[in-house]
Structures are given as C-alpha cells and as structure tokens.
Amino acid sequence: MRLDRFLCTVGLGSRSDVKKLIQKSRITADGVVCKDPSFKIDENRTAVMFDGKPVIYKKNVYFMLNKPKGIISASRADLRNPDERCVVDLISEEKHRSLFPVGRLDRDTEGLLLITDDGVLAHSLLSPSKHVNKTYLVGLRRELSPEDITKLEAGVDIGDDTPTRPASVSEINKTSVYITIHEGRFHQVKRMFEAVGNEVLTLKRISMGSLTLDPDLKPGEYRELTEDELTGLKSGSAG
Ligand code: URA
C-alpha cells in the first residue's frame, strides 16, 4: 500500500494533510525518514512511526454498541435528513471510516448492535442462509400462556409468505421472556408476539451469533470487540 494511503486509512488526515506530514519528515518507515508519499509499505510488517510513535494499522474496526432507545439504526449515508442523529454518531472515534450498523433495530429497541466498516463480515452475518441466532429480552403487555410459547416456538403466521422458523422462548416470568430467532424479518419479534395476541412493550437485543452484549455497557456506550469476540463472530459466520 502507498504510504500516503496508509496514513489516511489510519486516520491521520486527508491525502493533502498526510502529504504535508511526509514532507515535514515526521514519518518514518522501518526507522528511516520517508519523504515519498508513493513509497510502498507492507501495512502488516513495515514499522511506520509518526513523530516517533508507532502507527497501528487496522484494516477494519468493530464496535459493540448498547443502542439506546430513540435513535435510528442507520449509517450517515442512509440518512434522508442529515440533521437526524443515527447510531453511528454515537461512536466518537474512527470518524474517517464509513461505519455502519450490522442489521437494524427499531428506534424503540435497545441493546446489542455491531458497528463496523467490514462489509464482508456484515454480509455474512446478515445472510439469510447463515441463520445467525439473535436473542432478545422481551417485556410483554399480557401474560404469555404455555400454548403461546408452543406456537411461537413452532413458528407463527406473521403475514409473510411463510411462517416464522422455529424459535426458542425461555420465560423469566409471565410477562418477560427471552426469545431466540434465526431470521431477521422486519419487526419480527413484535409481529410474532402480535400473532399470539400479545404486545411487545420493551425489546432489547442481548446476543447475535456468538456475540453477547457486555453488561457493563450502559445504553449509548460502546467498546471495541476483543480479539476473541471477533474470531468467534468470523468463524460462526464463515462458510
Ligand atoms: N424485532 C423487532 O420487532 N424489532 C427489532 O428491533 C428487532 C427485532
């Protein structure tokens, strides 16, 4: 990769900003001052320094966000109204990257949302053929009967061409349950409970594939995924 492109990718500035840094001898590659913006480096091997400090290369970034209620799951590019705030605006780092949420939660849903710039991983996590599990904590208006649970688990008619695929429901009490689904249809969880005559009052996503919401994250907070979390997600969605 060209040195100037590398420096842009890591967020040191625009092409012209990083060219100035290079011209001012503030960049070294493997210990040697490099004054050629087109100099080719190996982003995984060459030791690049800016003012003597290592510049760490990340091809992509991955954040676990606890989405708060009241904000839409969109990237800035998706917004019709540029004044509207979206989940990506909650990430205060990596502003130079085109971050987007992997999948969507409704405006009034909270919980786990992966924010990244890795289109390949996002595509594979969202692919209908992969059936990545998603678990939600659901608060209900009415008590759920054992028959309702049987129906939800077998699959219900939510007005689409086909019923929902089998799901699993685990009761916390009569009006709050965990449900795990393997699809991602529009408003799916709300429509499933509607199909058994109930109503979702609160909805929070707890997990997606191998990734579980960090209980230390308050709504609106985020952190980078750990190496283990990323490896788990990538291996669970591969193939
Ligand atoms: N199902 C819903 O109904 N809403 C969400 O936000 C996610 C799943």
Side-chain angles (χ1 to χ4, degrees):
M1 185 188 288
R2 282 173 60 118
L3 179 63
D4 54 357
R5 181 155 165 246
F6 170 85
L7 296 172
C8 292
T9 308
V10 299
L12 281 189
S14 64
R15 266 280 161 95
S16 68
D17 293 336
V18 303
K19 278 191 177 143
K20 283 181 202 141
L21 298 178
I22 294 168
Q23 276 152 15
K24 288 181 182 159
S25 304
R26 296 175 71 184
I27 307 293
T28 57
D30 286 334
V32 180
V33 171
C34 186
K35 299 199 76 165
D36 175 6
S38 72
F39 181 73
K40 292 283 186 307
I41 60 143
D42 177 338
E43 58 274 17
N44 297 308
R45 286 172 203 270
T46 311
V48 179
M49 305 246 202
F50 166 45
D51 284 348
K53 292 192 200 87
V55 179
I56 309 297
Y57 175 72
K58 290 180 199 163
K59 182 162 187 276
N60 296 110
V61 291
Y62 306 87
F63 296 101
M64 172 192 292
L65 169 71
N66 184 356
K67 176 194 172 295
K69 289 181 196 163
I71 190 156
I72 60 165
S73 299
S75 64
R76 291 235 50 90
D78 292 334
L79 288 180
R80 291 229 188 107
N81 171 3
D83 294 334
E84 178 142 40
R85 258 163 62 84
C86 63
V87 285
V88 161
D89 297 327
L90 298 174
I91 311 291
S92 55
E93 297 144 61
E94 305 287 347
K95 291 289 184 198
H96 61 291
R97 296 186 189 249
S98 303
L99 297 177
F100 59 87
V102 177
R104 282 168 196 263
L105 294 176
D106 297 339
R107 192 191 277 271
D108 59 356
T109 301
E110 57 180 357
L112 176 64
L113 198 56
L114 176 63
I115 311 275
T116 184
D117 59 347
D118 183 346
V120 175
L121 178 66
H123 183 264
S124 105
L125 286 170
L126 296 176
S127 159
S129 65
K130 300 281 168 52
H131 309 304
V132 170
N133 295 352
K134 278 147 268 183
T135 299
Y136 295 86
L137 172 60
V138 189
L140 295 166
R141 182 175 293 283
R142 284 175 276 281
E143 294 193 354
L144 202 62
S145 68
E147 295 74 38
D148 294 337
I149 295 183
T150 307
K151 285 186 202 160
L152 288 165
E153 291 196 323
V156 283
D157 179 0
I158 59 171
D160 292 344
D161 293 344
T162 52
T164 55
R165 286 170 55 84
S168 49
V169 176
S170 107
E171 217 177 57
I172 302 167
N173 58 49
K174 291 285 173 207
T175 56
S176 73
V177 295
Y178 288 109
I179 185 166
T180 302
I181 59 173
H182 312 275
E183 308 162 280
R185 302 192 202 178
F186 186 61
H187 295 328
Q188 180 163 346
V189 175
K190 291 176 184 165
R191 289 158 73 208
M192 286 176 77
F193 284 93
E194 239 174 74
V196 296
N198 214 315
E199 190 189 339
V200 171
L201 297 182
T202 57
L203 190 57
K204 177 174 184 176
R205 183 154 66 190
I206 302 299
S207 69
M208 179 178 186
S210 59
L211 193 62
T212 300
L213 180 64
D214 183 334
D216 289 338
L217 292 177
K218 298 191 184 74
E221 291 184 346
Y222 67 90
R223 65 159 171 79
E224 275 199 74
L225 294 197
T226 63
E227 283 292 323
D228 282 354
E229 285 170 336
L230 184 57
T231 307
L233 264 192
K234 285 190 171 172
S235 58
S237 69

